[in-house]
Amino acid sequence: MGGPKPIAYTPFGELTVFVFFGLVAVTGTEWVLTGSFGLVSVLASMAIGGLAAAALAVNNHRDIEHDRLVGRRTLQLSSAKLARGVCTASSC
């Protein structure tokens, strides 16, 4: 399922969604329709990509315990480890 290294098992899911659902989809659509793209389409693509990545982040946050059990290393799990390390180092 998903090849030898599925994106679901790495912390790059949100970045991939931002790039392909935002930048590639929106600017690519404008380029196909008009033959060029400009600053407005890049800004719009960043907004759309940000919304899609945020939806994925919220969903991954909800699934954090299951992801931990099955060995997925989502961005939420990676940032939780970083937060624990910072908190431990600063005696939170």
Side-chain angles (χ1 to χ4, degrees):
M1 180 166 112
K5 186 127 177 136
I7 294 173
Y9 286 82
T10 69
F12 302 114
E14 285 82 0
L15 177 63
T16 303
V17 165
F18 176 78
V19 169
F20 289 103
F21 282 60
L23 298 174
V24 172
V26 175
T27 57
T29 300
E30 184 176 6
W31 179 74
V32 166
L33 294 174
T34 66
S36 66
F37 61 89
L39 178 63
V40 172
S41 70
V42 171
L43 293 174
S45 70
M46 291 171 67
I48 297 299
L51 286 171
L56 179 61
V58 168
N59 185 57
N60 282 344
H61 183 71
R62 183 197 66 186
D63 296 336
I64 199 165
E65 291 303 320
H66 178 262
D67 291 344
R68 184 178 289 126
L69 291 174
V70 298
R72 289 187 181 142
R73 291 180 45 231
T74 62
L75 182 62
Q76 285 69 25
L77 285 175
S78 299
S79 60
K81 287 180 185 177
L82 177 65
R84 274 198 312 270
V86 169
C87 196
T88 303
S90 65
S91 302
C92 290

